[in-house]
Amino acid sequence: MEWATVVGTALGALIGMGGTLFAERARWRRNLGEQERGELRTAYARYLDAATLARDAISLASRNVDLEPGERAELARSAIHDNAVYARQYELELVAPAEVVTKAREATKALGVYRDAVMAGATYETAECAGARRAFRGVRQSTMDAMRVTLDRAR
């Protein structure tokens, strides 16, 4: 009888420790998931902020018709660099899923097309400028949609 009690006690202890370890692992994974989602959310916000600030600078340059074309071009030229759009895109490439990275690259490219149109002399009211601006907005929205999907999936 003594032997059965010792085995039963040991088995109970093993089961208890296993349950505790399983619960701790589940809690660790949940915390890791929340941390990863937080990192994604931060990287997404930083990229979108940089892209929006650059877009605003390009838009401001395109509206400033009192400037000489060369001055307007210079204002637009530095918008992407000055707002660290490429740096934020590279940050995304380290942490984001491939579908978000692809969309962010498309948005950055569309932002460059918008900048280039203004640098070439297009102003806010011209069809070329308006088309480039709309194209960027559409790709940015598509990027944000992909970001939302990945954040929902990470829950």
Side-chain angles (χ1 to χ4, degrees), residues 87-98:
R88 299 300 166 241
Q89 178 184 316
Y90 301 149
E91 182 180 1
L92 275 183
E93 291 179 9
L94 293 175
V95 297

Side-chain angles (χ1 to χ4, degrees), residues 43-57:
Y44 290 173
R46 288 169 53 104
Y47 172 77
L48 292 170
D49 182 53
T52 299
L53 289 171
R55 187 267 337 260
D56 290 348

